[in-house]
Amino acid sequence: MDVTHDLSLTHDLSFIHLIQNASVLVQLVMGLLLLVSLMSWWFIFLKMFTVRQAVKQSEEFEESFWNNDDLNRLYQNTSVMRGDSGSMGRIFAAGFTEFLKLKKKHDMDNNAVMDGTRRAMRATYQREMDILESHLAFLATVGSVSPYVGLFGTVWGIMNAFRGLANVGQATLAHVAPGIAEALIATAMGLFAAIPAVVAYNRYSHDITRLASRFEIFMEEFSNVLQRQP
Amino acid sequence: MSAIVHAKPYKLRAGVLALAVHFAFFSLLYFGASWRVQPPQGMVVDIWDSLPGTETAPVKVEPPKTIEQPKLGKPAQPVASPKADIELSEKKRPQEKSKPIKIEPKRHIEKVDVQAEHKRQEKLRVQAEQKAQAEQKMIEEQKVRAEHERIRADLANVVAKTRRNVRAELEKAVPPKVVEPVKPLASLKADLELAEKKRLREKSQEAVKSEPKRQKEKVDAQSKLKAEAEQKAEAAQKAEAEQKAEAEQKAEAKRKVLAEQKAEAEQKAEAKKKALAEKKAQAEEKERAKQKAQAEQKLLAEKEQAELKAQAEQKAKVEQERARAEQKAQAEQERARAAQAAAIGKEVAEYTAKIKAKIRRNIVMLPDIPYNVTAEFYVTLLPGGMVLKAELTKPSGSAAYDSAVERAIKKAQPLPLPPDVTLFDKFRELRLTVTPIKE
């Protein structure tokens, strides 16, 4: 029985035991990485939903815009829908309200009216882009920095392991192995935080640039449509 | 703005998902780590199996029992993991006890337990009996030991008693021995007296024996005296001889000393002579050396003078050569300059002629203009041949010709210039005399 007990003690390298046995600094690093990883995953899911929604809404709006001859009715629909119309709908609404306001002033030049509407649409476009691109910088930072933070924790842990080894006369793998295993958990967590963050950053930045180009094209087309208006 | 408001439901969903992902990851890690903990238990079972197999064979009675208790307790633990159970049972095949477990693991465990309990009790009984036997043995042994000890103690007592008796007997026996030496004191005195008597007898005997010896000694003394006399005579003779030898030696020494003195004197004289001769030789050598040195100095001075002369000559020659070379170089330079100037002059003349020809080609002659007129123009040129300015300095007398030449100058642009750019300075400002016909 004694033999089995000893063996179970030495072989109990379970995850929780390793974290419990780690030094304070390594534990701090692990905690930081856990927090960062949680936040990055939260942003990943948040971005996933928002970007997906933005793409879907802009597709729907474009379809309704090109199928609808009466701009006034579309404008009324979008202004009634308000939130659900999406970024493109909001750009359209901002441009059309500005256009109508300027058209009421009869002394205005046609070019001046177009400039005003374009400015209004561009302002809305910038705001929408800002909202879409929020938190992307955080993902980029996590992706580039958290492996280094994890590595720092690992290096510290391994340093401690070897320092403990110096006190032991006969060095065996059994003396070093638990310390190194503890330390390596920090790297594992850093990578766990970094890899999804990098993938998500690349994916979403690509999606958002595509959306932005789509908005710009829409703005040009819409200003053409407005210029044709009597 | 509204997008942020719109993202709110997503925030919660995203948070929950993020937590779920982390939970999944850590649970995966945890089970991944704990999965590795279980196989070592299998290893433990291996070790367990091997231990009893080796121990049961040699020792039949006591040691296996203590180890078999945990073994019987063990099968209850692995019930949760049947695989391990089977492994266990398979490994226990060599042991007869665990056979039922292999066939029907779960149900027979109780039976096994009962059997095991019976066996345990039996074994315990056997143990107890054995222990009792062992204790009896121990007691018997102890008794035997005690008896042995008693016997030993008795023996020791006996020995001690016997020793004491012996000592007492010895002590009793000693006093008469001490009394005995009193008798010999009287006998010793008698002995001493006897010894003295013996000595006296011996002395007398010796004296009797030594009488012939004395006679012999007297004879010896006489012979000795004779020998002494002879020895004395010999000594006298020897002394005389020695004296004679000493005298001879002294004489010889005197002679030797005289001879040595003479030799020394001679040597000294010779040395003096030699010294004088050496001095003379040295003086002569010095004089010779001085003469030689003087001669050498003279030679050196002559040589130096010669060298100086030679150097001066060389310098003069070099200077002359230099002067000649410089003159030559100057002459060459002058020639080159002249040649250059000639070349430049040639080129300038050539190109001024070309310019004039080009202007002349462009003059549109009117019928009223006579052919013997000359107009002089002051032309300023730009690099590239363009005309910046063309002023009439000497009118020809025919206004038509002057204007025609001016037009021709402007029409002739760009004027031909030499390809060498350095020569442009000569063409920057030109004074051109233009005639309708080539001069």
Side-chain angles (χ1 to χ4, degrees), chain B residues 10 85 137 153 182 202 221 238 246 383 435:
Chain B
Y10 291 132
D85 223 354
K137 278 179 188 172
V182 181
E202 282 171 4
K238 277 176 186 174
E246 280 176 5
T435 52

Side-chain angles (χ1 to χ4, degrees), chain B residues 177-421:
Chain B
K177 280 177 187 171
V178 177
V179 176
E180 280 177 350
V182 181
K183 290 172 185 174
L185 279 169
S187 63
L188 274 170
K189 282 175 186 173
D191 288 341
L192 283 165
E193 284 171 8
L194 280 168
E196 281 174 11
K197 281 172 187 173
K198 276 179 185 174
R199 277 174 205 163
L200 287 168
R201 274 179 212 159
E202 282 171 4
K203 275 177 185 175
S204 61
Q205 283 176 353
E206 281 173 7
V208 173
K209 283 174 186 173
S210 62
E211 275 181 7
K213 283 178 185 174
R214 279 175 197 165
Q215 286 175 354
K216 281 176 188 174
E217 282 171 359
K218 280 175 187 173
V219 175
D220 290 340
Q222 284 175 353
S223 62
K224 277 176 187 172
L225 283 168
K226 280 177 187 173
E228 282 173 4
E230 283 172 3
Q231 282 175 349
K232 278 176 185 172
E234 283 175 6
Q237 284 177 354
K238 277 176 186 174
E240 282 175 7
E242 282 171 3
Q243 281 176 352
K244 279 176 186 175
E246 280 176 5
E248 281 172 4
Q249 281 176 350
K250 280 175 185 172
E252 280 176 5
K254 279 176 184 173
R255 276 176 214 159
K256 277 177 184 173
V257 168
L258 284 167
E260 282 172 1
Q261 283 176 351
K262 278 178 187 174
E264 281 176 5
E266 283 171 4
Q267 281 177 351
K268 277 175 186 173
E270 282 175 5
K272 277 176 185 173
K273 281 176 189 174
K274 278 177 184 174
L276 284 167
E278 281 173 2
K279 278 177 186 174
K280 279 177 186 174
Q282 282 175 355
E284 283 172 3
E285 281 175 4
K286 277 177 185 172
E287 281 173 10
R288 279 175 204 162
K290 278 177 186 174
Q291 285 174 355
K292 277 181 184 173
Q294 284 174 357
E296 282 172 1
Q297 280 177 351
K298 279 176 187 175
L299 282 165
L300 282 168
E302 284 171 6
K303 276 179 186 173
E304 281 173 4
Q305 282 177 355
E307 281 174 3
L308 284 167
K309 277 178 188 173
Q311 282 177 358
E313 283 172 4
Q314 280 180 348
K315 276 179 186 173
K317 278 178 185 174
V318 168
E319 280 172 7
Q320 282 176 356
E321 281 172 5
R322 268 185 208 160
R324 278 177 205 162
E326 280 173 7
Q327 282 175 355
K328 277 179 184 173
Q330 281 178 357
E332 280 172 7
Q333 280 177 354
E334 280 169 11
R335 272 177 219 158
R337 274 176 208 161
Q340 273 186 351
I344 288 163
K346 260 187 189 175
E347 244 181 323
V348 169
E350 194 187 331
Y351 276 91
T352 42
K354 277 183 179 173
I355 287 163
K356 276 181 191 172
K358 197 170 184 186
I359 290 165
R360 199 175 295 129
R361 252 183 278 139
N362 285 297
I363 296 170
V364 180
M365 288 301 285
L366 294 169
D368 348 342
I369 298 169
Y371 278 86
N372 56 352
V373 284
T374 55
E376 200 183 72
F377 276 84
Y378 183 75
V379 181
T380 313
L381 283 178
L382 288 172
M386 303 306 283
V387 178
L388 187 70
K389 217 163 56 174
E391 280 176 22
L392 183 66
T393 46
K394 275 184 189 171
S396 59
S398 161
Y401 180 70
D402 293 345
S403 63
V405 170
E406 205 177 338
R407 261 181 274 129
I409 286 168
K410 282 185 180 164
K411 206 178 173 185
Q413 299 182 83
L415 295 174
L417 286 175
D420 192 358
V421 187

